[in-house]
Amino acid sequence: MPGLFITFEGGDGSGKSTQSALLVEWLQALGHGVVVSREPGGTDVGLELRQLVLHWRGEIAPRAEALIYAADRAHNIATKVRPALERGEIVVQDRYLDSSVAYQGAGRVLGAQEVRDLSLWATDGLLPDLTVLLDLREGSDRLADRTLYDRLEAAGDDFHARVSEAYLELAAAEPERFLVLDARDTIENIASAIRSRVETLLRPAP
Ligand code: TYD
């Protein structure tokens, strides 16, 4: 497809929205057509599903939850993202299938591969050209640092620790798709690293 699909991933509070807004501003200033989306909730149907999955009072069975995220994703990709990519535009999106693998996988009920396969079925196999991961770990080599990981687990922060760890495993498995940046760096340093990487993927604006 002629367009470019860029996604942002990271834990809650990693600065995704700030960085995606800065990137969008920069791309528009260069004259590119940009479509902004997010998951869950990038479309009208998606807003209903977002309300359901994030604000339902009570339990949602893990498979049902995974399917709601996948349904939101299917509709977002089919009706908004693919058409924009076919028009040659740049889609900048907060969260995509890596969120499902990291978050739904971190619940320990569903396996990473089945969650990923579900998303790939939902989207007919669409993967981003670039995924920016804003990494919130305490220290850049925490994956290797079992002591810190165990401490986070003991502190009851285990779900978020598993999400961060899952993200890093995804990035390590697809290094060409991921740009991993330290979320605690300055806003300007992060924005500039993102622009440098995106620049290598851009075609001249029409
Ligand atoms: P987000 O919109 O980034 O956060 P907020 O609007 O609350 O600042 O994401 C909403 C939550 O949805 C976030 O906790 C991660 C979760 N999520 C999943 O668990 N699986 C998914 O596939 C997606 C897209 C999000």
Side-chain angles (χ1 to χ4, degrees), residues 10 12-13 16-17 38-40 50 53-54 65 69-70 72-73 94-101 103-104:
D12 304 4
K16 280 182 288 102
S17 336
R38 70 165 173 176
E39 292 182 4
R50 179 183 173 94
V53 76
L54 296 183
E65 185 190 48
Y69 283 115
D72 165 70
R73 184 159 300 136
D94 257 30
R95 298 194 182 278
Y96 188 47
L97 86 175
D98 302 299
S99 279
S100 279
V101 178
Y103 283 79
Q104 275 63 64

Side-chain angles (χ1 to χ4, degrees), residues 106-128:
R108 284 192 171 142
V109 176
L110 305 175
Q113 193 59 47
E114 58 182 338
V115 174
R116 182 182 164 91
D117 288 347
L118 176 66
S119 276
L120 287 174
W121 178 81
T123 62
D124 208 1
L126 184 69
L127 283 173

Side-chain angles (χ1 to χ4, degrees), residues 3-41:
L4 200 57
F5 185 25
I6 301 170
T7 58
F8 281 80
E9 297 284 356
D12 304 4
S14 59
K16 280 182 288 102
S17 336
T18 305
Q19 289 300 332
S20 57
L22 288 171
L23 178 64
V24 167
E25 222 172 81
W26 178 71
L27 288 167
Q28 285 172 336
L30 290 175
H32 293 281
V34 181
V35 167
V36 176
S37 196
R38 70 165 173 176
E39 292 182 4

